[in-house]
Amino acid sequence: MACSPTRVVTLAFLSLMPAFVCDSATAQVSGLIEFSESGRLQRGIPLVSLASEIVVMGRDGWLHSIDPLQPETKFKSLEGQYEPLSAPELRNQLRAEFGKDFEVVATQNFLVVQPLGRGDRWAKLFEQSHRGFVSYMSKRGVNVRQGRFPMVAIVFPDRGAMYDEFKKQKIDVSRVAGIYSNNSNRVMTHDGGHLTSIIATVRHEAAHQSAFNTGVHSRLNDTPKWITEGIGQLFEPAAVTTSTTASLRRQRANEDSLQVLKKSYPGKNNPEFAQAVMNLVSGDEMFADEDHVMDAYSVAWAMMFYLAERQPREFAAILKHTAMRRPFVTYQRDERRADFEEVIGMNPYEFSRRVSWFLESL
Ligand SMILES: [Zn+2]
């Protein structure tokens, strides 16, 4: 298992966010609409309308980006209220989408699409991961609400089939065992290898899905990556949701991240570690840097693990603060840093020292 540079796929509009303030450029669309995408008629509610892009939340939980200037784009307003699809409706839709070689297994929180005859191990894994997530967060005072949509997990028969789907959805990733896609709100993985080798990745992606569906993160705003990826990394070890005593803290640690940290930032209070913490607090660039992406995931893990284990009140507070920010607004560097200092109660350098001591104590 390995971290990957781009596990959470964000919408195109995030890069357009500064343009959102330009009201004169917006198309006038609101309320329930019907629109066509890939030749299929769908219903949804527009969340943001720009001259060149309308972002619509579909009844199935997808975030669609529609270009109103394209001649083939068709949409019209409808009477009535927006309602998410019920689990049986969504199940039927998934059956139609994936066809006779797949089955849809329903659990309390999930619809798992898998090749025929794979039993219930995937459904159990997703359900257990989600329950573990909810219990872990609740214990630390994090607000966890019931999601609006049944969570969908797609298990492809092998890597190739999974990558064909990524291509179809224009998801540009390589060397991954699975992803959570913010646009489709789905986890996608495959059953073509040994489950043990991809299980940590699946737990990581499932944690993203749980977080984005329970209000721990918002799907519509710009959450700092050290927070979203720190959460993903946090849930990779199985012991995170099964062992709760302080004496077993070491088992809850992400071993891969620990090894990366030891190698990249040896010793206590390494100034480069402090600099990495500062970089992650202020911006997401480190995640886009091929040479430092593993460091970014590992430092993000250390920051969130420290907060979760030692300062749960601040852990809950930073999650709440970032989830409540206004949607579709870019989170500027100065603001990220000022919010961090206010919510955590110290500057990033002081914080990095505490995280460093904590890592030494493991
Ligand atoms: Zn991730």
Side-chain angles (χ1 to χ4, degrees):
M1 139 26 255
C3 322
S4 81
T6 43
R7 275 193 184 149
V8 176
V9 179
T10 49
L11 281 168
F13 71 75
L14 287 178
S15 60
L16 290 173
M17 281 191 300
F20 180 58
V21 291
C22 179
D23 270 331
S24 60
T26 60
Q28 293 306 309
V29 199
S30 63
L32 186 66
I33 64 162
E34 187 170 69
F35 61 101
S36 66
E37 195 182 62
S38 311
R40 198 161 68 90
L41 269 186
Q42 303 194 57
R43 290 176 178 197
I45 187 161
L47 302 175
V48 61
S49 301
L50 305 169
S52 58
E53 185 182 21
I54 303 172
V55 178
V56 180
M57 174 75 81
R59 291 190 64 220
D60 52 6
W62 279 67
L63 287 170
H64 301 272
S65 170
I66 300 174
D67 181 350
L69 302 176
Q70 287 300 314
E72 69 268 20
T73 298
K74 291 193 178 72
F75 57 90
K76 64 174 183 188
S77 291
L78 295 177
E79 296 289 322
Q81 295 275 315
Y82 171 83
E83 284 280 351
L85 288 180
S86 67
E89 283 175 305
L90 187 51
R91 190 177 183 169
N92 285 338
Q93 190 173 300
L94 289 166
R95 280 194 176 128
E97 181 181 346
F98 286 90
K100 60 178 176 38
D101 296 334
F102 288 82
E103 60 191 355
V104 184
V105 181
T107 66
Q108 193 184 333
N109 295 290
F110 288 88
L111 291 170
V112 179
V113 181
Q114 61 181 21
L116 287 174
R118 295 302 209 271
D120 62 359
R121 63 191 178 123
W122 284 102
K124 272 189 179 151
L125 173 60
F126 284 112
E127 195 62 44
Q128 274 167 8
S129 299
H130 181 66
R131 287 178 193 198
F133 175 91
V134 170
S135 137
Y136 187 94
M137 290 296 175
S138 305
K139 272 187 201 131
R140 284 158 180 82
V142 179
N143 285 334
V144 179
R145 61 164 166 70
Q146 183 66 36
R148 296 187 76 190
F149 304 95
M151 288 187 283
V152 173
I154 316 290
V155 181
F156 291 95
D158 51 46
R159 231 171 152 266
M162 181 180 78
Y163 272 89
D164 287 347
E165 180 67 19
F166 290 173
K167 209 169 155 192
K168 223 158 73 187
Q169 291 190 31
K170 302 188 177 72
I171 296 171
D172 179 23
V173 290
S174 54
R175 294 173 284 122
V176 297
I179 62 159
Y180 164 73
S181 144
N182 190 41
N183 291 18
S184 69
N185 198 29
R186 293 173 174 181
V187 164
M188 290 175 270
T189 183
H190 70 86
D191 199 12
H194 291 290
L195 186 56
T196 44
S197 67
I198 62 169
I199 201 163
T201 302
V202 173
R203 277 196 291 262
H204 175 121
E205 305 310 329
H208 284 320
Q209 190 177 37
S210 295
F212 281 102
N213 279 271
T214 57
V216 171
H217 306 320
S218 162
R219 286 178 68 201
L220 308 178
N221 76 25
D222 184 11
T223 309
K225 273 195 141 188
W226 71 268
I227 296 176
T228 56
E229 294 307 336
I231 291 290
Q233 295 294 98
L234 193 66
F235 283 90
E236 288 189 2
V240 166
T241 53
T242 54
S243 86
T244 49
T245 58
S247 61
L248 293 176
R249 181 171 284 148
R250 185 68 175 76
Q251 290 180 17
R252 291 194 290 279
N254 186 315
E255 200 52 46
D256 290 346
S257 293
L258 263 184
Q259 293 310 321
V260 170
L261 292 168
K262 271 186 189 151
K263 202 165 156 246
S264 297
Y265 311 103
K268 217 192 265 185
N269 290 334
N270 186 315
E272 287 184 25
F273 179 74
Q275 189 55 51
V277 169
M278 178 56 102
N279 291 346
L280 292 186
V281 166
S282 311
D284 295 339
E285 296 79 3
M286 228 173 125
F287 287 95
D289 175 353
E290 279 282 315
D291 296 334
H292 291 106
V293 61
M294 297 296 277
D295 294 337
Y297 276 95
S298 304
V299 176
W301 166 76
M303 293 164 75
M304 288 310 270
F305 189 56
Y306 165 79
L307 286 173
E309 296 279 336
R310 287 288 175 85
Q311 296 194 214
R313 206 181 308 156
E314 285 75 18
F315 176 77
I318 195 81
L319 287 169
K320 184 175 178 185
H321 182 81
T322 49
M324 302 287 279
R325 287 188 63 257
R326 279 182 61 212
F328 307 112
V329 176
T330 306
Y331 205 172
Q332 305 291 353
R333 300 180 73 82
D334 291 354
E335 203 188 341
R336 281 172 63 143
R337 183 162 164 190
D339 286 355
F340 178 92
E341 293 195 10
E342 187 172 330
V343 174
I344 306 297
M346 66 187 96
N347 70 49
Y349 289 119
E350 169 63 18
F351 179 74
S352 77
R353 271 197 292 278
R354 296 198 184 198
V355 178
S356 181
W357 294 331
F358 172 69
L359 292 174
E360 285 289 313
S361 76
L362 288 175

